[in-house]
Amino acid sequence: MVGWILKKILGSKNQRELRRLAPIVHRVNEMDEQFKSLSDDELRAKTAAWKEEFSKIPELEDQWKKLNEILPEAFAVVKNAARRLKERQHTFTVCDQPMVWDMVHFDVQLLGGIVLHRGRIAEMATGEGKTLVATLPLYLNALTGRGAHLVTVNDYLARRDAEWMGLLYDFLGLTVGCIQHDQEPDVRREQYAMDITYGTNSEFGFDYLRDNGMATTREQQVQRGYHYAIVDEVDSILIDEARTPLIISGPATISTHQYDKWKPLIEQLVRKQNMLCNRVASEAIEKFEQGDVETGGRLMFKVKLGQPRNKQLLRMMEDPDKRRAIDKAELSFYQDTRKEELFALKEELFFTIDEKSNEADLSEQGRMFLNPDDPNAFVLPDLINEFTEIDLDPNLSQEEKDKKKAERQQHCDAQAERIHNISQLLRAYCLFEKDVQYVIEDNKVVIVDEFTGRKMPGRRWSDGLHQAVEAKEGVQIDRETQTLATITIQNYFRLYQKLAGMTGTAETEAAEFHDIYKLDVNMIPTNRPVRRTDHNDRIYKTRREKYNAVIKEIREAHAKTQPVLVGSVSVEASELLSRMLKREKIPHNVLNAKFHMQEAEIVARAGQPGTVTISTNMAGRGTDIKLGPGVTDMGGLMVIATERHEARRIDRQLRGRCARQGDPGASRFYVSFEDDLMRNFGAADRMTKIMERFGLEEGQELEHRWLNKSVETAQKRVEQRNYLVRKRTLDFDDVMNMQREVVYTYRNEVIDSEEPRKLIYEVIDEAIPAKVKEYLDVDEPNYTGFVHWVNTTFPLGLTKEKAEFETRTVDENAEFLVEKIKNAYERKSAYEEPTAVKSLERYIILNAIDRLWQEHLYAMDALREGVYLRGYAQKDPLIEYKTEAYDMFVELMANIKNEVLNNLFRSTSNLQAFENFLATLPQFLLREHAPTAPTAGAASRARQPQPVGAMAGVAGDGDGAGEVSIDLPIRRSIPKVGRNEPCPCGSGKKYKNCCGRVA
């Protein structure tokens, strides 16, 4: 109560914040008046003067202080420039369409600009001119010369806004760039070099991954830093798209899927399950008719487990008594005392489906159907036990043991692959619907974004799910991909030193913005009062009744030529509505994932008299709907939503499509108990009871503001669940992010280094002492193994006796080896082409980083998939993941150094240079006795290892004490002689009875 009174007196936190900013707005307007007397050149000169001033301020903190000082003046310059363009009715083209500049910043837009400059989120209603608002802070922050980015949701909006607002920037003397999907690297670099750059979140993110994970020279990198970014539609980008990380993939080296092999069996299995569920549903109806409600409820619960979208089940859920019986059966089966009964019930089906967690699980009956001859076809072998048994078998040699282990490992891999393929095919058939989660285009499966309804070409579901859907639809099955580089949207945007955002709907997600991005939300008031009427939801028992009511309302509005915008949650729903409207002979436009290209054009026309537009809920964001002549008198644009979305934000976004800039408008949501939100998240139960109490008949609806609250409660539950999913994704990715930063920083250090040899020598200085300790700093030093490792890695020609490792300490041995290796490397480098040596040295390190980092990403994916199972052992999967990931990362960095050492003397800038280097080395034969051409005196000579080649006479260089030398495999000087062939010495005897006897 006290809090409410204080809020009334002092205002909310947001109101107090905006009151503090009011004097700045007043100051901007005063300066705008003063600047009217300046010429265009004088106004433009301010930009050049500020840029020069900032170029002399090296520290970022000092630059930010200066920006805050000049903010009122800079904003006034932008506003004044916009005013001049409007007064002159300046014409220009945007996306090949002629336009006239007709905008000057309102006071609320100046408020929004100040909020954005301060690194916050400005919530501004649809139609309040967010595109123009962004020009103020972008201009101000671009003066530093460090670049300012505006991030939007698609290529069209990026190009439109860059060309539209580019007129204003160009007038003020700033350059503008725009990143588009199909640009070449050279063009991208030019766009990033501009003062202000527009682009989509995925293009910015992928450029970051390519720059840091794939580029091998500074010239191949296109970005130039992460100074300041404004994210347009910030809720869509930072929240809706944050559950899917950005991934650059390449084809996997091997493809072992069997989706096409298992597809016919899975199709049969799904058919059998459908027949079984229909039969059980018919039995349940009979039981209900006989008055055996308990058995009927139990049977329908069984149908719900096996086919949650069964038509008979959905019809029964409309009946309050039957719904209650089904819910009662479900509750009783999930009690601890009836776990065995629940398991037995599931085993009566072929598989069970859990819609909430998106999982499908085979039962024993299903497994028998798929593989009747092999009862263990779906059991993974216990490799630890099997390996132990093999090791303890005294009848097997070591070679046979290794062979048996390899066979068991191969069998286990094949078994796991089969189980995985079948599981993904089941999910594809039971949980993924065509024209809802994906569409088919050019013989490819294209994912549809569940929030925006937009197609996402190029994106693929991971873990083989995409191939399973391709198999289901009979299109070409592409090879599995392996991750080359990945980052989450959250971690990409956290790279920016200052981040801001703008949207029409951020308030409901304010806590998440603060927790993850440290962004506060300020609600900016509208320029004119909102005149929209938000009607109560209309709630029906069935989808059929709901759609009939929607068509009726559209027909009534269309009859009086009031424009209607109909929001649907899926492509399927929009096409169903389209068919119903065609039957009613009502002309209309359809905007869904299949018509992405015309999106902005269709949405812009939605305010014309008599227009009916069907759209997925979020389509057309960023495009104004301006009302046609006479529409205001009819009540403005009518927004009808055919379903409540999982997130309240999306509903608010759809409502905000009407009543812009003080225009009239109205909105209404239609809901049925068959909607996914109502079925899965429990709002339907309470309403069923209300319907029962009032005795509503078919076609009648419920409508009350209390019911709106029930639906919003269900939405809050889903929002909370989705937030936890995103938070969990981020918690796991934070671990990867720290590793990514270390690897990418090291990678960039290599690319930028003028002297990469210093980095090579750092690797030698760190890796050699570690190897020395591994072999020699133990209870039983392995001198033979160590000498073998040294000689296979470096051309030193060491022998155990001459190297005398036993006579030195571990540190002395490390120093001895480091010196020898560096001398050898200097000698090798002397033979390389001087201009190419630095590039070669960079390549040696980058190649090691890239190859092993990709393997590390694959291993981390596997760890993340499997670590959840540790929850069954009462261990926190996240803590386990962090511990294992740290160990794996330490191993990765050690492996990178070892890989560099291995490639140091196996890489060359020029093959001839490498051969020249090899020719100068004392070379030793690997075996005591070499099968060279036998001579008559061969029997009397025992061959000793001796130097051969150009430096054979320099005995001191090849004495086995670690000077530069190389061990060569034996090569025959004549073709191999068969045992029964004449001896080449000319004795006339067979080779086996002559020289061959000695050899």
Side-chain angles (χ1 to χ4, degrees), residues 475-590:
V475 300
Q476 179 188 331
I477 303 174
D478 290 339
R479 278 175 66 178
E480 287 108 317
T481 54
Q482 87 179 46
T483 304
L484 303 182
T486 175
I487 190 170
T488 56
I489 295 285
Q490 292 116 315
N491 276 322
Y492 172 71
F493 283 109
R494 279 164 30 170
L495 292 169
Y496 282 90
Q497 285 146 332
K498 189 160 63 167
L499 181 67
M502 48 189 188
T503 178
T505 49
E507 188 186 1
T508 55
E509 311 292 346
E512 181 167 351
F513 283 124
H514 185 269
D515 291 349
I516 292 178
Y517 302 98
K518 301 293 178 277
L519 287 172
D520 291 322
V521 177
N522 283 131
M523 276 79 76
I524 309 297
T526 54
N527 187 45
R528 295 174 183 166
V530 176
R531 292 171 58 196
R532 186 181 69 235
T533 307
D534 293 330
H535 297 292
N536 291 326
D537 294 3
R538 283 187 175 162
I539 299 164
Y540 295 84
K541 278 186 182 180
T542 66
R543 273 193 178 144
R544 182 166 40 85
E545 294 171 50
K546 176 183 75 173
Y547 283 129
N548 287 335
V550 168
I551 298 298
K552 184 184 173 191
E553 178 146 9
I554 294 171
R555 192 168 54 236
E556 289 169 1
H558 184 66
K560 57 180 185 181
T561 68
Q562 181 182 11
V564 180
L565 177 66
V566 186
S568 64
V569 292
S570 67
V571 178
E572 182 189 41
S574 64
E575 292 189 338
L576 171 65
L577 278 165
S578 176
R579 287 196 298 273
M580 292 175 80
L581 286 172
K582 277 177 186 166
R583 244 193 342 257
E584 296 287 329
K585 296 187 172 50
I586 296 173
H588 58 280
N589 294 315
V590 180

Side-chain angles (χ1 to χ4, degrees), residues 330-342:
E330 184 171 0
L331 280 171
S332 68
F333 270 112
Y334 279 113
Q335 292 170 3
D336 284 351
T337 52
R338 299 191 67 183
K339 276 187 177 174
E340 288 185 10
E341 286 181 67
L342 177 62

Side-chain angles (χ1 to χ4, degrees), residues 408-478:
R408 297 313 298 157
Q409 181 69 57
Q410 206 171 349
H411 171 69
C412 180
D413 291 346
Q415 200 93 316
E417 183 74 27
R418 179 168 62 239
I419 294 168
H420 178 69
N421 286 177
I422 289 170
S423 169
Q424 296 295 46
L425 273 171
L426 263 182
R427 288 179 69 200
Y429 271 93
C430 302
L431 294 162
F432 288 78
E433 287 186 50
K434 183 180 170 184
D435 290 341
V436 179
Q437 282 98 342
Y438 63 92
V439 293
I440 304 296
E441 197 173 78
D442 300 331
N443 205 33
K444 286 187 180 298
V445 171
V446 180
I447 300 173
V448 173
D449 187 309
E450 63 174 305
F451 291 99
T452 62
R454 293 189 175 106
K455 286 179 293 192
M456 300 194 289
R459 288 211 186 174
R460 294 175 65 81
W461 286 303
S462 60
D463 211 23
L465 177 60
H466 209 95
Q467 285 95 317
V469 175
E470 286 169 335
K472 169 192 168 185
E473 293 297 339
V475 300
Q476 179 188 331
I477 303 174
D478 290 339

Side-chain angles (χ1 to χ4, degrees), residues 319-331:
D319 185 308
D321 292 332
K322 289 172 185 168
R323 174 188 280 278
R324 197 182 303 110
I326 296 165
D327 290 347
K328 189 177 176 184
E330 184 171 0
L331 280 171

Side-chain angles (χ1 to χ4, degrees), residues 200-211:
T200 64
N201 58 309
S202 53
E203 290 303 319
F204 282 118
F206 285 135
D207 282 339
Y208 166 78
L209 291 175
R210 281 189 284 264
D211 278 5

Side-chain angles (χ1 to χ4, degrees), residues 683-696:
D685 305 338
R686 199 174 310 150
M687 295 187 194
T688 306
K689 290 171 186 166
I690 296 169
M691 282 197 152
E692 187 182 1
R693 195 174 300 144
F694 290 111
L696 292 178

Side-chain angles (χ1 to χ4, degrees), residues 542-777:
T542 66
R543 273 193 178 144
R544 182 166 40 85
E545 294 171 50
K546 176 183 75 173
Y547 283 129
N548 287 335
V550 168
I551 298 298
K552 184 184 173 191
E553 178 146 9
I554 294 171
R555 192 168 54 236
E556 289 169 1
H558 184 66
K560 57 180 185 181
T561 68
Q562 181 182 11
V564 180
L565 177 66
V566 186
S568 64
V569 292
S570 67
V571 178
E572 182 189 41
S574 64
E575 292 189 338
L576 171 65
L577 278 165
S578 176
R579 287 196 298 273
M580 292 175 80
L581 286 172
K582 277 177 186 166
R583 244 193 342 257
E584 296 287 329
K585 296 187 172 50
I586 296 173
H588 58 280
N589 294 315
V590 180
L591 175 58
N592 59 33
K594 293 187 173 179
F595 304 101
H596 179 55
M597 297 300 287
Q598 307 100 306
E599 180 178 306
E601 192 185 329
I602 293 173
V603 169
R605 291 202 307 265
Q608 299 305 308
T611 306
V612 177
T613 309
I614 300 171
S615 146
T616 40
N617 278 0
M618 296 261 286
R621 284 183 76 161
T623 306
D624 263 345
I625 299 177
K626 293 182 180 174
L627 299 185
V631 171
T632 307
D633 303 331
M634 289 177 261
L637 178 67
M638 177 72 187
V639 169
I640 296 173
T642 59
E643 200 167 320
R644 281 277 196 170
H645 202 275
E646 283 186 354
R648 288 170 294 163
R649 267 179 314 104
I650 314 295
D651 293 344
R652 287 180 61 206
Q653 192 76 36
L654 184 61
R655 277 199 164 119
R657 305 302 296 155
C658 64
R660 61 179 291 284
Q661 285 293 329
D663 290 339
S667 71
R668 188 189 298 281
F669 280 78
Y670 284 79
V671 181
S672 86
F673 288 156
E674 292 179 2
D675 296 347
D676 290 345
L677 176 75
M678 306 294 277
R679 283 191 305 109
N680 290 336
F681 296 95
D685 305 338
R686 199 174 310 150
M687 295 187 194
T688 306
K689 290 171 186 166
I690 296 169
M691 282 197 152
E692 187 182 1
R693 195 174 300 144
F694 290 111
L696 292 178
E697 295 172 10
E698 185 167 331
Q700 285 186 283
E701 81 269 4
L702 282 173
E703 184 180 331
H704 197 280
R705 65 175 183 274
W706 290 356
L707 296 178
N708 300 0
K709 294 283 184 194
S710 287
V711 178
E712 282 184 15
T713 304
Q715 288 177 306
K716 282 178 187 172
R717 283 182 201 155
V718 187
E719 285 169 11
Q720 186 63 26
R721 186 196 67 161
N722 288 344
Y723 169 58
L724 292 172
V725 170
R726 290 189 292 267
K727 187 81 170 69
R728 199 69 170 167
T729 302
L730 187 66
D731 287 340
F732 276 93
D733 195 65
D734 275 344
V735 178
M736 273 298 297
N737 199 46
M738 286 186 271
Q739 298 185 1
R740 187 188 301 112
E741 281 177 13
V742 172
V743 171
Y744 284 179
T745 303
Y746 183 33
R747 215 177 170 281
N748 284 326
E749 191 184 339
V750 175
I751 290 171
D752 295 336
S753 174
E754 291 298 321
E755 292 294 333
R757 186 165 304 180
K758 286 181 182 174
L759 297 173
I760 295 266
Y761 283 176
E762 276 178 25
V763 170
I764 293 171
D765 290 337
E766 289 170 17
I768 295 299
K771 274 290 178 188
V772 172
K773 284 179 183 173
E774 182 187 326
Y775 279 97
L776 307 184
D777 196 11

